[in-house]
Amino acid sequence: MDIAETRALRADARRRWTLAMPAVTIITLFSILPLLVVVVYSFLTPGDYGNVKWIWSTEGWFQVLFQRDIFDDTVTLSDAHLTILGRSVTLSLITTLITLFLGVPTAWFIATRPARQRAFWLFLITIPFWTNLLVRTIAVQEMIRSEGLINRLLLWLGAIDAPIQMMYTNFAILVGMAYVFLPLMVLPVYAAIERFDFRLAEAGYDLYASRLYCLRKVVLPQVKAGIIAGSILVFVPSLGAYVTPRIMGGGKSMMLGNLIEMQFGQGRNWPLGAALSLALTALVLVALVWYTRLTTGERRHG
Amino acid sequence: MDKRAFNIRHLPGATALAITCFVILYIPMVILIVNSLNAGKSISVWEGISLRWYGTALQNEGFLNAATTSLILASTAALVATVTATMAALATTRTKSFRGEGTINLVLNQPLMVPEIVLAIALLIILAQVKQITGYNGLGWLIIAHSAFCIPFAYMPIRARLQGMDLTLETAAADLYASRFYTFRKVTLPLLAPAVLAGFMLAFVVSLDDVVMSEFLKSPGQDTLPTYLLGQLKRNLTSEIYAISSLLLLISVLIVAGSWALTRKKT
Amino acid sequence: MLEIRNLTKSFGAGATAVTALHEVAFSIAEGEFFTLLGPSGCGKTTLLRLIAGFEPPTGGALVLDGRDVAHLPPNKRPVNTVFQNYALFPHMTVAENVGFALGAQGRPRSEIAETVERMLALVQLDHLAHRKSAELSGGQQQRVALARALAPKPRILLLDEPLSALDMKLRKEMQVELKRLQQETGLTFIFVTHDQEEALTMSDRIAVMSGGRIQQIASPRDLYDHPSNSFVAGFIGESNFLDARCAGGKLFAQGAELEVDHADGPITLMVRPEHVVLGTAQGLTLRAKVETLVYFGTDTHVHLTLPDGARLVARVQNALRGGAPCAEGDTLTVSLPADALRLLPKDA
């Protein structure tokens, strides 16, 4: 490569970096740097009226899982925190399963419609996807609250005598999250199924496979990547959900997001809030790494 | 094994579940709209159809302020996000190999990898100090924060379009004596326009919908539509809330439909 | 007017470097229809891209009208390209496409309109001026690409396998069209193709390339009649190759000998199938056995085997009367006339 060529390439690279600079700067300053600040804050001491005192302390991290008895200083596991952590992971997993159960057939349905119809069904599933999270949570709350549709329907049918208290329970949070995140499962699964060449399945059937065998051995491996992507798209936001658990669970049933928020509100324990946030991020990263490993594993076999 | 007419596309039960799913998705939203049209004062008693709650909402100063704030915030954030994302997409595509590409992509997608609440409190921490130091409590902070997490949403469709664009077109333009700027103006930009618009609309909707970031970062007295709604919810459930929610619903539907129409039209 | 001096192009660096062009050198005269011919990977497209300016050379010079343009960007060279996939701007009409270069050069609108009209008339597409380019057929898009490249009156027009996407009939029509255009405009055309028949019918001169090097540059007739090596002989038209040896003013092949004026040593003997004579004639006389006859309507290909197992194909024009020239299994005398023999250097 001669000098002129190298010089041209370097000028080109410089030009590209300059173009990308504004976007990169904004995100670095307002998205990446703040996270580093969170790490720092997780090792400080809570201030008297919120915020922090610049004194090193590991109490924040300690309090994530443990609590100290105020009288005799014994260390025990923080039941409240563990419950919330457990609830977050469990509810997120169940939400993922529910959305899988409903979402995959829906994606299949849309993908197997004739081409002209497909745009219509896709449009139908996209609308909830882009509708305000808060609005949809309000809508689902309307369904299950004491004077909501379901209770009224059951009362009218005579199946129950008094309205069932469904709000402010784990169940409510589950219903809320499943409702709100359902479109997130459908879209990636749909993309994977749509990409699938159905003639492969027909070839399988031609070779005497039963429908179930065909599904298992031919269709499923191809669609797996979409299912995994959808699961992650549901699981990760569920773990960090704030709005939905707040509205559906009230103050009684909290998830990790609500617990974190509390530390910056009435709890006045910013370091704990910071530590909890990092714990949440760690959980999310674990899920993402697991996802990457699953999908690259697939690519290696495929 | 008899080979009867077999259609692998037909999965027993899939259609039933799918229709159930659609019904489940839409009934709550429909009920919401229906409730917003309740003429009666109480949300539990139906008294006929009326638009009164929309009227009440539109006269409510709190609501109007929040709506204005949301619109200004969403437009500005989406504009900043779209312009910077377009520049970044131009930088990372249409090249055989460019050493910074991976890093830039990673950075630009970073907001999507971290839970929103973590980002929100991270910015809360920083802004708490900065607001104290500078004394500036205006909308600017929210605008920049929104821009940051809107960038990935604008970046994706624009980058996808650029990657799918025929590279020889720009080569041909250069061959025909066009300067770099002329090529951009006459060839690249017109072809990119639908994707840029789609990116803008996506960023707009994402900003408009945001609850968590706005709730944590707003200064006292500031409200976006979602935070206003959240505040109202804390007090009591009134039909006005349904009206506001329905309005938000309508806006989202319109924007999605518009974005849809734009992407369908592309040749 | 275009002089290519020791042009080299390598991709990559160090151990993985790939040299696409090795010190290529030749000249092209004004108004020539010059073709770069060769199989895929021979470097013809790379050479074209270097002339157009889409890549800088690794070494050497490109002298156009006395000026070295090797490091000028494409938009500063008076050279225009017709791309293989046409690269028409899909969001512009035909007229806008054709006028693009003039607009980029900042010409006044009236001049652009007038030139566009002239160009469209030249390629017979005036009635489609306001259609979107995406709506046209392949052949029409091709002509728009041509008009677009011709509009700014370049010194050289480069055509990168422009006919490869067309069906046979359209292809033949366009070959005639292109030749006509070139003669009418008097411009220098540099045409790239892998189709030797296309090159033979259209070109003033052809450069046969292989492995990044020029094998031979000559007129179509000279290339066919006097190929300089076995690659050119094999690439253009059909050929028979036989191992032979020269010693003491004589040629020895297949047990026969002939007086020749050639240096001693091993050579490759080449003879075109249509020059092989079934029967006795002046030249190299051999005994051969007929393996198969393949009927081609206008002629018959006779596949022969020679004493040492080598193959020979003779092309015999079918007579009006008399049936086949011979039968399968026949043993007969075959002659290779002295003036039809080409003595080519033996490949390494």
Side-chain angles (χ1 to χ4, degrees):
Chain A
M1 248 199 302
D2 74 342
I3 306 168
E5 206 176 341
T6 337
R7 222 183 289 145
L9 270 176
R10 243 184 253 144
D12 183 66
R14 230 181 298 136
R15 218 178 292 125
R16 289 176 183 269
W17 269 102
T18 322
L19 267 183
M21 252 320 113
V24 170
T25 317
I26 294 183
I27 293 197
T28 311
L29 284 180
F30 288 87
S31 201
I32 300 183
L33 235 53
L35 289 177
L36 296 173
V37 174
V38 173
V39 176
V40 169
Y41 267 55
S42 67
F43 286 106
L44 295 178
T45 320
D48 298 319
Y49 299 104
N51 217 316
V52 289
K53 285 198 234 172
W54 283 81
I55 306 168
W56 168 275
S57 157
T58 53
E59 271 303 294
W61 282 101
F62 182 78
Q63 285 171 343
V64 169
L65 291 175
F66 302 101
Q67 61 192 27
R68 221 173 282 247
D69 189 287
I70 40 174
F71 294 117
D72 52 20
D73 227 15
T74 46
V75 171
T76 51
L77 284 171
S78 167
D79 282 329
H81 288 187
L82 283 175
T83 317
I84 293 175
L85 247 142
R87 182 182 295 130
S88 299
V89 177
T90 320
L91 289 184
S92 301
L93 281 172
I94 303 182
T95 306
T96 311
L97 288 171
I98 297 179
T99 53
L100 265 173
F101 177 69
L102 278 177
V104 174
T106 310
W108 182 276
F109 173 78
I110 303 180
T112 53
R113 292 308 94 201
R116 251 171 295 140
Q117 260 187 49
R118 219 175 286 169
F120 167 71
W121 293 106
L122 265 181
F123 182 65
L124 273 191
I125 202 86
T126 314
I127 290 189
F129 185 71
W130 291 115
T131 305
N132 195 322
L133 182 70
L134 187 53
V135 168
R136 280 188 291 143
T137 310
I138 295 177
V140 80
Q141 177 201 41
E142 186 53 29
M143 295 280 95
I144 70 170
R145 67 192 180 92
S146 305
E147 289 142 13
L149 188 72
I150 295 188
N151 268 316
R152 281 212 236 178
L153 206 65
L154 290 175
L155 278 170
W156 180 74
L157 286 173
I160 50 173
D161 291 323
I164 315 175
Q165 174 66 19
M166 291 185 279
M167 280 294 292
Y168 312 124
T169 60
N170 284 350
F171 174 75
I173 299 181
L174 201 55
V175 169
M177 291 210 297
Y179 177 73
V180 151
F181 293 127
L182 187 49
L184 284 170
M185 171 64 78
V186 175
L187 288 169
V189 178
Y190 162 77
I193 300 180
E194 203 253 344
R195 225 178 290 145
F196 175 69
D197 187 351
F198 278 91
R199 290 174 299 181
L200 289 173
E202 283 160 6
Y205 190 70
D206 182 73
L207 295 163
Y208 305 113
S210 72
R211 174 177 287 150
L212 192 62
Y213 193 78
C214 230
L215 272 173
R216 238 182 63 214
K217 289 281 180 169
V218 181
V219 183
L220 196 59
Q222 303 266 18
V223 172
K224 207 174 192 173
I227 295 185
I228 297 177
S231 308
I232 289 289
L233 274 183
V234 171
F235 185 72
V236 167
S238 302
L239 263 185
Y242 167 74
V243 176
T244 310
R246 170 164 161 173
I247 297 183
M248 306 303 282
K252 302 180 194 159
S253 267
M254 283 206 287
M255 282 182 60
L256 209 41
N258 310 105
L259 183 60
I260 293 175
E261 191 257 342
M262 200 172 84
Q263 307 313 320
F264 292 89
Q266 50 183 122
R268 308 245 184 102
N269 193 340
W270 288 29
L272 174 58
L276 284 169
S277 304
L278 291 170
L280 173 59
T281 314
L283 278 172
V284 166
L285 278 171
V286 165
L288 283 175
V289 166
W290 191 61
Y291 162 68
T292 323
R293 199 156 295 170
L294 272 176
T295 42
T296 32
E298 289 307 310
R299 235 174 282 144
R300 244 182 277 132
H301 289 298
Chain B
M1 172 103 41
D2 72 301
K3 287 196 185 183
R4 46 195 131 87
F6 164 75
N7 187 3
I8 186 87
R9 284 178 173 76
H10 172 62
L11 196 62
T15 313
L17 276 172
I19 300 292
T20 315
C21 177
F22 277 108
V23 165
I24 293 181
L25 276 177
Y26 274 88
I27 284 194
M29 295 198 281
V30 170
I31 297 291
L32 193 69
I33 300 181
V34 168
N35 276 344
S36 73
L37 297 168
N38 185 356
K41 265 227 185 113
S42 156
I43 52 173
S44 324
V45 182
W46 179 258
E47 280 175 38
I49 299 188
S50 149
L51 286 174
R52 62 179 285 195
W53 297 109
Y54 289 92
T56 322
L58 289 171
Q59 284 169 347
N60 185 332
E61 204 183 308
F63 167 76
L64 288 171
N65 282 340
T68 319
T69 310
S70 269
L71 283 172
I72 298 179
L73 177 56
S75 329
T76 320
L79 193 65
V80 172
T82 309
V83 169
T84 53
T86 308
M87 289 164 63
L90 284 169
T92 57
T93 54
R94 306 160 312 143
T95 179
K96 280 167 256 161
S97 69
F98 160 55
R99 241 186 306 141
E101 184 177 347
T103 324
I104 296 184
N105 273 330
L106 199 63
V107 168
L108 292 182
N109 281 317
Q110 181 270 342
L112 299 174
M113 295 192 271
V114 179
E116 208 187 346
I117 186 158
V118 176
L119 278 177
I121 63 124
L123 279 173
L124 173 71
I125 292 178
I126 292 191
L127 285 184
Q129 306 289 47
V130 178
K131 280 190 193 176
Q132 235 180 355
I133 298 175
T134 61
Y136 171 69
N137 270 335
L139 201 53
W141 301 122
L142 273 178
I143 293 181
I144 286 231
H146 276 224
S147 302
F149 75 75
C150 282
I151 286 180
F153 289 96
Y155 185 64
M156 282 191 289
I158 299 177
R159 183 183 148 91
R161 181 77 178 100
L162 273 173
Q163 282 183 316
M165 216 166 67
D166 187 356
L167 267 179
T168 45
L169 291 178
E170 299 195 338
T171 317
D175 180 73
L176 294 164
Y177 312 112
S179 66
R180 211 189 311 270
F181 185 61
Y182 193 84
T183 309
F184 179 73
R185 195 161 60 94
K186 287 276 181 169
V187 179
T188 320
L189 201 55
L191 287 172
L192 201 52
V196 172
L197 205 52
F200 178 83
M201 289 168 117
L202 234 69
F204 187 86
V205 165
V206 167
S207 166
L208 199 64
D209 274 358
D210 172 70
V211 186
V212 180
M213 196 77 75
S214 311
E215 176 75 9
F216 278 69
L217 300 181
K218 65 186 175 99
S219 311
Q222 260 178 1
D223 256 325
T224 65
L225 263 178
T227 63
Y228 177 77
L229 205 52
L230 200 59
Q232 293 298 89
L233 265 179
K234 262 192 277 193
R235 292 188 203 114
N236 54 354
L237 208 58
T238 66
S239 291
E240 192 179 328
I241 293 187
Y242 296 138
I244 299 177
S245 306
S246 303
L247 278 174
L248 267 175
L249 193 59
L250 190 64
I251 297 180
S252 299
V253 174
L254 283 174
I255 296 188
V256 172
S259 165
W260 204 258
L262 264 174
T263 42
R264 289 292 125 185
K265 220 202 295 172
K266 77 160 183 262
T267 34
Chain C
M1 45 96 92
L2 176 69
E3 219 188 296
I4 300 184
R5 295 189 198 149
N6 293 327
L7 210 56
T8 311
K9 178 67 182 174
S10 303
F11 293 100
T16 53
V18 169
T19 310
L21 289 174
H22 294 266
E23 307 224 332
V24 171
F26 59 93
S27 305
I28 300 182
E30 181 108 32
E32 258 199 289
F33 194 116
F34 193 90
T35 300
L36 299 175
L37 174 68
S40 36
C42 70
K44 56 192 194 293
T45 305
T46 310
L47 182 54
L48 199 75
R49 287 177 65 85
L50 284 179
I51 300 176
F54 304 138
E55 313 247 9
T58 314
L62 267 168
V63 181
L64 177 63
D65 293 334
R67 197 164 62 120
D68 183 6
V69 297
H71 292 284
L72 280 183
N75 57 355
K76 298 240 166 43
R77 293 190 207 194
V79 171
N80 292 130
T81 312
V82 177
F83 294 86
Q84 198 171 3
N85 68 343
Y86 316 136
L88 296 182
F89 303 125
H91 59 293
M92 296 187 187
T93 62
V94 166
E96 286 168 346
N97 262 285
V98 175
F100 184 84
L102 303 166
Q105 287 175 324
R107 303 252 192 248
R109 218 173 288 179
S110 53
E111 188 189 323
I112 299 181
E114 192 241 312
T115 311
V116 168
E117 213 183 296
R118 229 181 335 116
M119 286 297 125
L120 287 179
L122 192 65
V123 296
Q124 290 149 4
L125 280 180
D126 4 26
H127 56 294
L128 292 174
H130 298 291
R131 288 272 201 88
K132 277 278 169 70
S133 48
E135 296 166 19
L136 303 177
S137 71
Q140 289 168 329
Q141 285 188 350
Q142 233 252 7
R143 282 188 269 161
V144 175
L146 258 173
R148 183 176 73 172
L150 286 171
K153 274 215 268 289
R155 292 289 289 142
I156 303 180
L157 185 69
L158 304 173
L159 300 107
D160 186 3
E161 305 206 48
L163 309 180
S164 56
L166 304 175
D167 62 69
M168 185 56 84
K169 179 165 172 289
L170 202 52
R171 209 170 167 158
K172 297 256 184 251
E173 281 174 21
M174 283 309 295
Q175 283 169 6
V176 176
E177 228 355 72
L178 274 175
K179 188 70 184 168
R180 175 188 76 84
L181 266 171
Q182 194 264 333
Q183 286 173 331
E184 214 175 291
T185 56
L187 287 173
T188 311
F189 275 29
I190 302 185
F191 189 85
V192 166
T193 182
H194 59 271
D195 183 339
Q196 48 104 18
E197 206 181 289
E198 198 166 77
L200 287 178
T201 52
M202 298 170 76
S203 325
D204 291 330
R205 276 197 303 156
I206 305 174
V208 180
M209 294 179 69
S210 166
R213 281 176 233 267
I214 306 256
Q215 302 295 323
Q216 187 177 358
I217 301 182
S219 70
R221 176 144 220 143
D222 284 341
L223 272 181
Y224 189 83
D225 286 342
H226 302 281
S228 59
N229 60 29
S230 7
F231 177 81
V232 178
F235 197 78
I236 307 233
E238 291 166 38
S239 349
N240 289 301
F241 294 107
L242 295 172
D243 288 328
R245 198 171 35 90
C246 282
K250 286 211 184 153
L251 170 73
F252 296 93
Q254 298 292 326
E257 61 179 64
L258 186 69
E259 294 221 350
V260 285
D261 184 10
H262 192 274
D264 292 354
I267 53 150
T268 301
L269 198 62
M270 193 281 281
V271 63
R272 301 277 184 203
E274 65 268 23
H275 295 150
V276 176
V277 176
L278 299 182
T280 327
Q282 274 268 20
L284 210 60
T285 328
L286 312 163
R287 297 285 295 166
K289 176 158 174 273
V290 179
E291 295 291 335
T292 25
L293 295 170
V294 186
Y295 179 71
F296 273 96
T298 48
D299 41 35
T300 301
H301 284 203
V302 183
H303 291 254
L304 305 151
T305 323
L306 294 171
D308 71 347
R311 302 294 184 114
L312 194 71
V313 179
R315 191 143 53 99
V316 182
Q317 203 166 22
N318 287 330
L320 189 59
R321 288 170 261 277
C326 52
E328 289 182 18
D330 284 358
T331 310
L332 35 69
T333 308
V334 159
S335 300
L336 309 177
D339 54 357
L341 291 174
R342 299 284 172 265
L343 280 62
L344 303 173
K346 195 154 193 78
D347 294 330

